[in-house]
Amino acid sequence: MREQINNKKQKNRTLSLEHYKLNVQWILPIFFILLVLSYFGVEFVKDLTYQNVYNNITELSEQTTAQLNLSISEQKKFVEIMIGSINSGYFKTPEDIFNRYRDDLEDYHFTRLAILDKNGNGTTSDGRQVKNYANIEEFFNQKDVYLSENRPSTVSNNQVNIYSKTFRLNQKDLVLFATVNTEDYKEILLRRLFHGKGGTYLINNNGSVLIDSFDTIKENNTNLYDFLKSNYHLTNEEDIAKLNLMEENIKSKKTGTFDIRLDKTTHFIHYEKLSINDWYVVSIAPDDTIAKELTTFLMISFGVCLFIVFVIISICIYIDLSNQKKSRKLYRVAYLDPVTSLGNDVYFKEHATNFLQSSAKNKYIISLDINKFKALNNIYGYEFCNQLLKAIGEKLTNILPENHIACRMSNDVFAIIFSYEKNIKTVLDRIFDEISTLQINDTSIHINLSIGVYQIKPEDTDINKILDKAYIARIKIKGLYRDHYYVFDEVLENQLIEEQKIESSMEEALKNEEFKVVYQPKILTGSEKLYGAEALVRWYKKDEIIPPGKFIPLFEKNKFIIKLDLYIFEKVCQDLANWKNTYGFTPTVSINVSKEHFVDENFIHEYVAICDKYELDTNTIDLEITESATIDEKIDILKILNIIKENGFIISLDDFGTGYSSLSMLQNMPIDIVKIDKVFVDKADLNSNQNIINYIMLLAKRLGVKTVVEGVETKEQVDFVQKLKCDIIQGYYYSKPISKDEFEDYFNKNT
Ligand code: C2E
Ligand code: CA
Ligand code: CA
């Protein structure tokens, strides 16, 4: 995906590419599997159909043979009956015989009868004289009822077959002929075969064709095997072998079915023996008659398979697309910032990590935020500031080089990663200049950015680490009013190393009790007597004392502050319990509670539990909460303050005046003390701050809230504070933070 996801055109293009891309990975295999399945399905059906056709031709051929057998056996029986009657001596002359049977001839499909002597002379049932009938010996040589092969009729142009049987009448050897039109047999053979496309040959045991239902053989006595071989130009050895096998089988009176290529089409051949004369019925059906049925069937089954494949794939595509739609929605929620349409922090970390691995040269990472953004939010409102953020996002996209990734990480913090081979200063100046004044609706607004830059080294691979470096550089710029950007340098590198050292030793330090409590006395303004103290942490690391300013911000970032605060709280409670035992009372001690605790509303239980452990009343303990906690969007501060109050603690609002919380907010908060930050008693600005402090004092009085002024170092400041009728003073003028024992001395002297 292109990195400038805020560039709308590109974004739409790339989103559609990335999110509506068909998942070919699985569609192809499914399509392939279904295709293979349909192929095998069709092949299976084809096999079945072929088998079916095979059986079909066998069956039809058997039926034809059976019918022919039936006709022949009925005719043969009729001849036997006639001979039986003749031999019983019923008839005196051939004419008697003809008279008796003439009417029955038609029922048995005989055309006529004839009775001839050994010379071939005689009469017929329809009154004809026959003289010297050719080959008459053939008939006299047969013992049983005999059926001749077809021969030309003596009375018509037809071919006939003759049943014959010899007998004696009036001491003469005669033969009875019952003649059948060969056409009648041909009709039976023609009947049923494959809508007339197939055909049948009647052959004798030697393969000579007696009847050809195809009508292709013109000459008599044609050998079927030779005919097939020559007529269809059979050269293929396999096919010739098949024919030879048929010839052999027929000779040995076997039945069979096989397929063979004739005229480039497969033909099915079935041969079946007749009950008479070892004649064979040979049925031949060309493939195309079968194929026609087959093809239609196959086409339908293949069509059905294709349709099923199509339906399944359509369903899959539909499911896939709707899943992609869903995941696109999820993607938007997970990766995009709805205010600016840029990516969010998750997006940034993912894509910047990839960018780090790219071969681009001179890579930079920038962390930038808007100075006093919270104040802008208070002045202009949420909606307006959202538009402001959006405008900044658009500007950044236009200013930055093509290959950048720009994202909004949180509130007003943006992060950018890109590569730039020229002087980075030109990019930074452009960002600062072009975003210094923005036009939102009709309002022109002046903006001051803090920009922290880190030039990425080839060995940098951890996005969090480099992001931290840009962040540190940005925080550094806050204190330097002259510049608007800071490039992470050796100073910061050392600071970072220092921080890493701190982080790696903090857990151990806590165990080793390196963290100690010091107490800074708080003095009542009028009487200058001791009011109480603020407990502050010190880190005694070997021979050096690390001030909280060096580790508290770090511990807030890595959340170790939660452990440390509770530890300090417990230490203070121990001291208080001791003092309670010794003196019968406890001084009011305030303890700092970082806002990091407030992400979990149950944090208060641990504080109460510690108080219970040391049998201390919660209303003797003051919890200091910084004003900045009240403007943190992630914290429902009113709820938190109420929870603290409900559990009885005194609440001080620390560093008041630095967090831009509005004074009106004070009215709704259940606080007891306001601690006015030391910047208000800055010697240089003492007079100019007078009005503000005055105003805060008035408001506090009205709300019944006590006031503490911090950072009072000089007599001049003490006088100033006293004039303002502030209740309590805390500062070096009276005492620096001191050890427990020193503080014990202090309150013994000052109460
Ligand atoms: P804070 O809560 O505003 O504490 C007052 C700070 O002002 C202390 O700095 C104190 O030594 C200093 N101070 C007091 N009087 C004067 C003065 O007359 N002149 C000057 N220049 N400074 C004065 P410290 O002890 O270095 O603590 C710095 C900050 O660290 C504290 O500011 C507080 O925010 C934080 N901190 C200290 N201990 C703890 C702790 O146990 N937990 C938490 N969460 N934060 C702590
Ligand atoms: Ca404090
Ligand atoms: Ca303070």
Side-chain angles (χ1 to χ4, degrees):
M1 186 167 173
R2 292 275 313 161
E3 310 307 346
Q4 292 160 283
I5 61 154
N6 48 334
N7 179 323
K8 275 198 178 144
K9 263 189 210 160
Q10 267 185 357
K11 187 178 72 188
N12 289 341
R13 200 193 72 211
T14 48
L15 276 181
S16 64
L17 271 180
E18 183 168 302
H19 297 285
Y20 286 118
K21 188 172 62 185
L22 275 187
N23 236 333
V24 213
Q25 298 109 294
W26 63 262
I27 284 184
L28 273 184
I30 284 188
F31 184 75
F32 185 72
I33 290 169
L34 287 176
L35 219 61
V36 169
L37 281 183
S38 12
Y39 173 78
F40 282 115
V42 167
E43 278 301 296
F44 176 70
V45 171
K46 209 161 136 185
D47 272 1
L48 270 187
T49 318
Y50 256 80
Q51 193 55 48
N52 203 26
V53 170
Y54 220 82
N55 295 341
N56 223 8
I57 184 168
T58 310
E59 204 175 293
L60 284 174
S61 172
E62 278 168 2
Q63 280 176 20
T64 312
T65 314
Q67 207 158 17
L68 202 57
N69 268 333
L70 190 69
S71 285
I72 290 171
S73 70
E74 278 180 353
Q75 289 169 333
K76 197 176 155 196
K77 192 158 261 158
F78 183 66
V79 174
E80 279 165 353
I81 289 168
M82 285 193 293
I83 293 294
S85 309
I86 295 167
N87 288 344
S88 319
Y90 284 134
F91 310 109
K92 302 285 175 240
T93 62
E95 200 52 40
D96 289 344
I97 299 170
F98 293 149
N99 288 340
R100 164 65 187 84
Y101 293 111
R102 191 175 287 113
D103 292 342
D104 297 330
L105 292 182
E106 212 176 319
D107 290 348
Y108 293 92
H109 295 275
F110 287 117
T111 47
R112 65 183 65 82
L113 298 175
I115 295 176
L116 302 178
D117 62 16
K118 280 196 166 176
N119 298 321
N121 299 326
T123 50
T124 69
S125 58
D126 49 358
R128 293 167 203 265
Q129 290 294 322
V130 183
K131 288 227 158 82
N132 295 328
Y133 189 80
N135 297 328
I136 189 75
E137 325 73 70
E138 179 187 337
F139 300 96
F140 276 96
N141 287 341
Q142 309 295 334
K143 276 190 197 142
D144 296 325
V145 178
Y146 169 68
L147 176 61
S148 78
E149 292 183 1
N150 31 319
R151 53 178 57 214
S153 163
T154 47
V155 293
S156 65
N157 293 329
N158 292 339
Q159 292 268 315
V160 292
N161 294 81
I162 298 167
Y163 288 86
S164 72
K165 176 71 180 131
T166 51
F167 64 95
R168 280 182 73 84
L169 187 74
N170 307 329
Q171 280 98 46
K172 266 176 143 184
D173 282 330
L174 299 174
V175 65
L176 173 71
F177 274 16
T179 311
V180 181
N181 258 337
T182 307
E183 240 0 86
D184 286 352
Y185 291 155
K186 194 167 167 184
E187 212 171 274
I188 295 174
L189 295 184
L190 257 178
R191 234 172 265 166
R192 296 161 168 263
L193 273 183
F194 296 103
H195 318 293
K197 285 219 174 172
T200 309
Y201 298 99
L202 182 69
I203 58 168
N204 69 15
N205 194 246
N206 295 324
S208 296
V209 177
L210 306 176
I211 300 174
D212 162 22
S213 76
F214 290 95
D215 270 339
T216 42
I217 299 175
K218 298 292 170 240
E219 286 162 39
N220 287 342
N221 271 332
T222 305
N223 181 283
L224 179 66
Y225 315 119
D226 296 341
F227 168 76
L228 291 176
K229 283 176 202 166
S230 64
N231 193 48
Y232 294 107
H233 312 290
L234 283 193
T235 48
N236 184 330
E237 277 181 21
E238 204 186 318
D239 290 336
I240 292 173
K242 281 179 183 174
L243 278 183
N244 291 342
L245 181 66
M246 168 164 96
E247 187 176 356
E248 260 174 51
N249 282 344
I250 285 176
K251 278 211 174 102
S252 48
K253 301 177 187 173
K254 286 182 193 157
T255 296
T257 314
F258 63 100
D259 59 54
I260 188 167
R261 304 278 299 170
L262 302 176
D263 259 355
K264 293 181 188 148
T265 29
T266 304
H267 284 63
F268 287 94
I269 299 183
H270 178 81
Y271 47 96
E272 176 98 17
K273 201 173 99 43
L274 270 185
S275 58
I276 198 160
N277 290 355
D278 294 341
W279 289 353
Y280 267 79
V281 174
V282 178
S283 303
I284 302 186
D287 185 29
D288 58 351
T289 48
I290 303 155
K292 206 172 192 177
E293 292 169 33
L294 190 70
T295 318
T296 327
F297 186 72
L298 287 185
M299 288 299 273
I300 291 171
S301 15
F302 193 69
V304 169
C305 286
L306 272 187
F307 180 73
I308 292 171
V309 168
F310 174 78
V311 168
I312 291 175
I313 287 183
S314 304
I315 291 172
C316 291
I317 289 177
Y318 175 79
I319 293 172
D320 187 48
L321 284 184
S322 52
N323 277 345
Q324 285 179 34
K325 230 181 209 171
K326 259 186 234 157
S327 58
R328 189 186 160 192
K329 246 188 207 162
L330 287 177
Y331 175 87
R332 285 201 156 276
V333 174
Y335 286 104
L336 296 185
D337 164 36
V339 174
T340 57
S341 302
L342 296 179
N344 60 15
D345 53 335
V346 182
Y347 179 93
F348 185 81
K349 287 187 182 168
E350 234 176 79
H351 287 77
T353 303
N354 293 340
F355 185 76
L356 279 184
Q357 287 155 5
S358 76
S359 57
K361 281 183 192 145
N362 292 343
K363 291 177 223 166
Y364 293 91
I365 186 163
I366 288 181
S367 173
L368 70 81
D369 77 335
I370 303 160
N371 291 348
K372 304 203 162 93
F373 182 69
K374 275 160 199 141
L376 292 179
N377 239 332
N378 281 340
I379 298 165
Y380 294 102
Y382 200 67
E383 205 31 61
F384 181 92
C385 285
N386 276 353
Q387 288 187 47
L388 183 78
L389 292 169
K390 192 175 162 73
I392 292 175
E394 280 163 10
K395 286 263 177 196
L396 285 175
T397 308
N398 293 336
I399 296 164
L400 290 160
E402 265 283 287
N403 60 5
H404 77 270
I405 305 169
C407 293
R408 187 167 78 116
M409 307 297 276
S410 62
N411 301 337
D412 60 326
V413 179
F414 292 80
I416 309 155
I417 193 165
F418 60 102
S419 79
Y420 194 68
E421 300 206 3
K422 291 179 220 152
N423 188 353
I424 185 71
K425 196 173 172 301
T426 50
V427 178
L428 299 174
D429 285 338
R430 257 196 90 189
I431 294 177
F432 190 81
D433 292 343
E434 294 208 16
I435 303 182
S436 66
T437 311
L438 289 176
Q439 188 74 27
I440 308 293
N441 302 335
D442 295 333
T443 315
S444 171
I445 181 160
H446 182 72
I447 281 175
N448 244 324
L449 293 180
S450 291
I451 305 172
V453 187
Y454 171 68
Q455 180 167 17
I456 298 166
K457 294 189 185 122
E459 63 267 25
D460 287 321
T461 50
D462 185 341
I463 185 65
N464 289 316
K465 280 190 181 147
I466 62 162
L467 202 53
D468 264 1
K469 289 181 178 177
Y471 167 82
I472 292 166
R474 171 165 65 81
I475 299 304
K476 179 85 181 165
I477 198 69
K478 297 265 183 215
L480 308 172
Y481 291 104
R482 280 161 295 123
D483 299 322
H484 48 265
Y485 63 84
Y486 194 98
V487 181
F488 187 88
D489 56 10
E490 218 172 297
V491 179
L492 291 184
E493 184 77 62
N494 291 336
Q495 188 183 314
L496 200 64
I497 292 168
E498 195 65 25
E499 280 186 2
Q500 277 159 0
K501 266 195 215 153
I502 292 176
E503 271 194 312
S504 64
S505 58
M506 62 193 185
E507 292 279 0
E508 203 59 28
L510 193 68
K511 260 193 237 153
N512 296 342
E513 307 217 327
E514 288 175 26
F515 295 104
K516 306 265 187 229
V517 187
V518 289
Y519 294 91
Q520 182 173 35
K522 291 181 190 163
I523 307 297
L524 287 164
T525 314
S527 63
E528 294 197 312
K529 291 235 151 83
L530 183 77
Y531 163 78
E534 176 176 6
L536 296 156
V537 66
R538 294 290 177 269
W539 185 352
Y540 289 86
K541 199 177 185 198
K542 287 181 192 144
D543 41 3
E544 60 168 334
I545 303 173
I546 310 175
K550 277 223 171 140
F551 57 87
I552 298 275
L554 181 64
F555 288 178
E556 290 198 313
K557 209 159 73 179
N558 64 24
K559 310 290 178 253
F560 185 67
I561 192 70
I562 294 177
K563 260 191 191 174
L564 182 63
D565 274 356
L566 280 166
Y567 174 84
I568 296 297
F569 185 76
E570 175 145 16
K571 288 283 163 202
V572 172
C573 286
Q574 271 172 13
D575 289 347
L576 289 175
N578 284 337
W579 288 326
K580 196 173 151 190
N581 276 341
T582 317
Y583 304 104
F585 74 95
T586 54
T588 310
V589 174
S590 64
I591 300 144
N592 294 286
V593 176
S594 164
K595 68 176 160 68
E596 299 306 323
H597 292 271
F598 304 153
V599 289
D600 178 7
E601 287 170 11
N602 293 321
F603 79 97
I604 199 70
H605 300 321
E606 289 176 88
Y607 280 83
V608 173
I610 295 170
C611 290
D612 289 348
K613 183 173 164 190
Y614 294 96
E615 295 176 347
L616 294 168
D617 261 350
T618 52
N619 60 17
T620 59
I621 297 170
D622 182 348
L623 297 184
E624 291 198 11
I625 287 138
T626 54
E627 191 205 10
S628 64
T630 66
I631 48 168
D632 191 319
E633 286 163 12
K634 289 187 288 258
I635 299 170
D636 183 353
I637 192 65
L638 270 183
K639 194 170 181 185
I640 295 291
L641 292 177
N642 281 321
I643 289 172
I644 301 175
K645 199 72 229 158
E646 278 158 20
N647 283 280
F649 293 100
I650 301 166
I651 302 177
S652 287
L653 194 60
D654 202 359
D655 302 342
F656 190 78
T658 57
Y660 305 100
S661 69
S662 61
L663 284 173
S664 58
M665 276 176 77
L666 275 183
Q667 301 184 29
N668 304 319
M669 293 192 217
I671 48 170
D672 304 287
I673 298 167
V674 168
K675 294 187 79 177
I676 296 162
D677 195 78
K678 47 184 166 288
V679 295
F680 291 98
V681 288
D682 193 321
K683 284 148 266 179
D685 295 326
L686 212 50
N687 290 324
S688 58
N689 287 333
Q690 192 173 338
N691 285 341
I692 305 173
I693 304 184
N694 239 334
Y695 184 68
I696 298 172
M697 294 297 173
L698 270 171
L699 186 73
K701 287 253 148 55
R702 221 181 58 216
L703 297 173
V705 170
K706 278 194 194 126
T707 48
V708 178
V709 176
E710 293 184 279
V712 175
E713 292 177 350
T714 62
K715 177 81 179 98
E716 192 195 355
Q717 287 169 314
V718 173
D719 293 342
F720 174 76
V721 173
Q722 273 180 339
K723 247 201 295 178
L724 293 171
K725 302 222 162 46
C726 164
D727 300 305
I728 297 155
I729 298 177
Q730 180 183 346
Y732 294 170
Y733 179 76
Y734 290 107
S735 171
K736 287 202 166 182
I738 47 182
S739 71
K740 175 202 160 198
D741 294 340
E742 286 169 320
F743 179 61
E744 213 174 315
D745 284 349
Y746 194 97
F747 77 67
N748 277 328
K749 282 183 201 148
N750 291 285
T751 41

